[in-house]
Amino acid sequence: DFNLAGEIWIIRDYFKKMGVETVANITGDGRVADIQRAHGAALNVVQCSGATMDLAKLMKEQYGTPFLRVSYFGIEDMAESLYAVARFFEPRDPKIMSRTRRLVREELDALLPRIKEFRRDLEGKKAAIYVGGAFKAFSLVKAFRLLGMQTVLVGSQTGTKEDYQELYEICDEGTIIVDDSNPLELSSFLEEKAVDIFVGGVKERPIAYKLGVGFCDHNHERKLPLEGFVGMLRFAEEVHRTVMSPVWRFTRVGGGRGPNAAGFDSSPLMGEVAL
């Protein structure tokens, strides 16, 4: 994990409450002394599989260290990641699963009432996702579904055939799935599907701005943590704040053509040309 906006500290705190010692962080907030003893860990937990899966495989080959591929985004995947770690250590620590269940229950008790509030406004809204790694896309589809939103477009730059098969299985019928798409293709699909929010990285932000579509930053430059249960709350807050902004009534994709709520007509004027 790369510890974007302090995310790895959130996950380390979860592990501590479960009774699991974190030997080293690779690479976010890593320390030389910790990395030097990383080969002695009982388990590698891999979040960014595109960047560090090869390292995990190498450590398994050289040191016999098993690894788990996880995702810390969204409620479902965050909980399952903790449960997977608990299952691994359960033969050595029979009480770890009960501690993990208690941790997840406490987090959900605090989170779900807030999610319910956001869902009332977001039900039926449309989302588009285009990210670097497919593992993010899986979690984001589930996160939007929890908010009552439909993912109508999803894709990644580095996904494999197996990744896209999994996306196909978890997405709704009619969802457009793209691989390593270009700005023109993405723009066309965003307009075709009349999306309410587009989740992407630094290269996708200008597309959303030019089309007048809400944008959620999910790249390595973001300033707010989106991992963990608290990250899901921040994600929901950002999505709600963006989608429900009154500014979209003035845009074509976000507000549609014709008279809008402010009384202005956003239909094409005579003399407009397409270049």
Side-chain angles (χ1 to χ4, degrees):
D1 193 282
F2 295 112
N3 196 35
L4 304 180
E7 289 175 333
I8 206 167
W9 301 328
I10 297 172
I11 307 305
R12 284 181 63 115
D13 185 57
Y14 292 157
F15 286 153
K16 183 178 180 180
K17 291 177 180 178
M18 292 166 57
V20 176
E21 177 191 0
T22 303
V23 175
N25 309 327
I26 302 175
T27 60
D29 195 35
R31 298 292 187 271
V32 173
D34 292 338
I35 295 174
Q36 285 177 331
R37 67 189 189 102
H39 65 283
L43 176 69
N44 271 329
V45 185
V46 183
Q47 151 79 346
C48 188
S49 58
T52 53
M53 185 60 79
D54 287 343
L55 177 60
K57 292 177 179 178
L58 179 65
M59 291 181 68
K60 182 177 182 180
E61 179 182 330
Q62 292 192 3
Y63 306 112
T65 310
F67 63 86
L68 293 174
R69 180 186 179 188
V70 301
S71 173
Y72 302 136
F73 296 109
I75 289 177
E76 294 180 49
D77 288 342
M78 182 67 254
E80 176 53 31
S81 297
L82 298 181
Y83 289 142
V85 173
R87 284 192 294 268
F88 177 85
F89 287 109
E90 197 168 16
R92 312 180 194 185
D93 182 358
K95 295 183 179 180
I96 189 173
M97 186 58 76
S98 62
R99 292 196 298 270
T100 305
R101 290 196 181 102
R102 183 169 61 250
L103 166 63
V104 172
R105 184 169 57 251
E106 290 172 353
E107 293 289 336
L108 293 183
D109 285 345
L111 173 62
L112 290 180
R114 298 293 308 280
I115 296 296
K116 187 176 180 180
E117 294 175 12
F118 296 133
R119 185 178 176 117
R120 282 197 292 266
D121 292 331
L122 296 174
E123 191 85 43
K125 301 293 186 181
K126 298 178 183 179
I129 302 166
Y130 188 73
V131 288
F135 77 101
K136 288 183 183 178
F138 303 147
S139 299
L140 286 167
V141 169
K142 298 173 187 176
F144 277 124
R145 185 169 290 138
L146 182 68
L147 293 172
M149 299 178 65
Q150 180 186 7
T151 300
V152 295
L153 168 66
V154 61
S156 74
Q157 291 178 298
T158 61
T160 64
K161 181 179 179 180
E162 292 74 22
D163 290 333
Y164 293 119
Q165 179 60 38
E166 184 173 344
L167 274 177
Y168 174 78
E169 292 171 359
I170 67 174
C171 286
D172 296 325
E173 185 176 351
T175 300
I176 297 174
I177 300 176
V178 297
D179 170 55
D180 198 18
S181 192
N182 62 56
L184 288 177
E185 292 172 337
L186 291 173
S187 298
S188 175
F189 290 138
L190 291 173
E191 290 190 291
E192 176 186 334
K193 291 294 187 177
V195 303
D196 296 289
I197 191 167
F198 183 26
V199 178
V202 64
K203 291 182 291 186
E204 288 72 51
R205 186 187 296 121
I207 300 174
Y209 288 173
K210 289 178 181 179
L211 293 177
V213 174
F215 184 75
C216 178
D217 188 353
H218 214 286
N219 70 56
H220 289 181
E221 297 174 348
R222 54 187 162 83
K223 303 300 187 291
L224 291 176
L226 299 180
E227 290 183 9
F229 299 103
V230 66
M232 178 63 202
L233 176 58
R234 292 194 175 104
F235 176 73
E237 288 173 340
E238 181 173 347
V239 169
H240 182 268
R241 185 168 55 246
T242 300
V243 171
M244 301 309 296
S245 172
V247 72
W248 308 123
R249 72 183 67 167
F250 300 108
T251 68
R252 291 185 178 173
V253 175
R257 296 174 181 267
N260 53 45
F264 297 103
D265 192 338
S266 59
S267 299
L269 300 175
M270 290 183 63
E272 279 192 348
V273 295
L275 300 178

